[in-house]
Amino acid sequence: MIELIRTNDPVVISFVESLLRDAGIAFFVADQNMSIMEGSLGILPRRVMIDADDRDAARQLLKDAGIEHEARSDDMKNA
């Protein structure tokens, strides 16, 4: 899996989840339970992870939605 976005903005996370779900792209939101550790301050970012094979389609979705700036650069990929 690779990291598509990393943010602590819950609105962006929700929007990206909706885009991916509607497009049929499987995803996983990592670190969403870290708020318990940090005291629910929203300091620690959450990561939306996708299969590497879906990277181009997911990045196009973000671009079409006007939030391509939220995508991690290609050199930030996770294996």
Side-chain angles (χ1 to χ4, degrees):
M1 295 198 92
I2 63 165
E3 182 179 310
L4 178 64
I5 67 167
R6 178 185 298 205
T7 183
N8 55 359
D9 186 336
V11 175
V12 171
I13 294 286
S14 179
F15 184 50
V16 170
E17 285 179 308
S18 179
L19 290 172
L20 294 173
R21 190 175 299 112
D22 289 350
I25 297 174
F27 64 91
F28 171 74
V29 180
D31 305 323
Q32 62 185 358
N33 293 322
M34 289 302 291
S35 62
I36 296 168
M37 300 286 291
E38 64 169 282
S40 299
L41 298 175
I43 297 169
L44 298 175
R46 293 182 223 157
R47 298 173 292 146
V48 176
M49 310 294 289
I50 59 169
D51 188 88
D53 294 339
D54 293 325
R55 183 186 77 228
D56 292 338
R59 290 177 68 86
Q60 186 62 47
L61 278 175
L62 297 184
K63 183 176 180 181
D64 292 346
I67 59 169
E68 65 271 14
H69 63 278
E70 295 288 347
R72 302 295 284 178
S73 63
D74 286 338
D75 60 351
M76 300 292 286
K77 287 189 245 180
N78 292 334

